[in-house]
């Protein structure tokens, strides 16, 4: 995903698209994201969550009984968003949407790397260790059970804001 393509229907076709490195930095540095999953009856379900952009994909976790998990059990397609444009005004930031398929991560090495990424980003607030195929929170407050970890490799990334309007990146 190195070059963005501006959609002239939604922005200035003569503008310069944001560099992929800048978009990826926004995905890496964001403290909060929103994920949209699809309920079994087709209605959207949107919730805030923490996560990490790691090795070119977004990773998040969810408990086995959470609505996100129930939705993913029947439809793994998701959209993940982050950014500041909505809160700060159109010309003051960039919002990013990652569209893709959530795939469960169960490999112990991959889980360990992701747990380290969470800790590096969020510190003790989100300190996990790997047990079996899940994350388990270290220290208080200890959560009941574990958390399943998912990775969303982007099918498409959209960046919104500034004179470029809407820019699309594809793998």
């Amino acid at each position: 995903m190195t070059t963005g393509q501006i959609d002239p229907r939604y922005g200035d076709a003569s503008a310069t698209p944001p560099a992929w490195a800048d978009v990826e930095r926004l995905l890496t540095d964001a403290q909060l994201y929103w994920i949209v999953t699809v309920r079994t009856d087709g209605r959207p379900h949107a919730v805030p969550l923490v996560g990490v952009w790691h090795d070119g994909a977004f990773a998040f976790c969810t408990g086995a009984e959470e609505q996100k998990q129930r939705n993913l059990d029947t439809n793994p397609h998701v959209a993940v968003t982050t950014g500041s444009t909505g809160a700060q005004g159109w010309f003051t930031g960039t919002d990013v949407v990652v569209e893709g398929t959530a795939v469960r991560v169960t490999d112990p090495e991959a889980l360990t790397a992701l747990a380290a990424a969470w800790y590096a980003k969020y510190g003790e607030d989100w300190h996990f260790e790997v047990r079996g195929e899940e994350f388990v929170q270290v220290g208080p407050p200890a959560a009941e059970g574990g958390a399943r970890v998912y990775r969303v490799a982007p099918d498409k990334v959209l960046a919104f804001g500034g004179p470029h309007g809407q820019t699309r990146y594809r793998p």
Side-chain angles (χ1 to χ4, degrees):
M1 297 211 188
T2 57
T3 305
Q5 180 180 24
I6 294 176
D7 187 328
R9 298 172 298 171
Y10 307 114
D12 179 356
S14 67
T16 301
W20 173 248
D22 294 338
V23 174
E24 195 166 38
R25 189 171 18 269
L26 286 169
L27 289 165
T28 300
D29 293 346
Q31 292 294 298
L32 182 69
Y33 307 84
W34 286 81
I35 188 166
V36 180
T37 58
V38 181
R39 297 174 191 264
T40 57
D41 64 5
R43 292 180 300 131
H45 175 252
V47 294
L49 78 167
V50 299
V52 295
W53 183 261
H54 185 263
D55 287 340
F58 180 73
F60 68 96
C61 58
T62 183
E65 301 303 318
E66 291 184 39
Q67 184 65 51
K68 288 187 300 293
Q69 181 60 59
R70 292 194 302 270
N71 297 346
L72 292 170
D73 286 340
T74 59
N75 186 340
H77 301 290
V78 300
V80 178
T81 71
T82 194
S84 62
T85 303
Q88 309 276 328
W90 183 252
F91 288 102
T92 60
T94 301
D95 290 330
V96 181
V97 179
V98 175
E99 296 179 1
T101 302
V103 176
R104 182 134 181 235
V105 178
T106 58
D107 175 71
E109 284 185 34
L111 288 169
T112 299
L114 288 169
W118 249 274
Y119 186 72
K121 183 173 183 177
Y122 296 105
E124 291 297 327
D125 290 339
W126 297 93
H127 189 183
F128 297 113
E129 64 182 31
V130 176
R131 288 194 196 146
E133 296 181 341
E134 296 182 327
F135 278 176
V136 176
Q137 190 168 351
V138 174
E144 290 290 321
R148 296 173 181 178
V149 180
Y150 287 86
R151 184 177 187 275
V152 181
D155 294 329
K156 175 172 61 174
V157 175
L158 298 170
F160 298 90
H164 63 86
Q166 175 181 310
T167 303
R168 180 181 66 229
Y169 303 83
R170 288 201 184 264

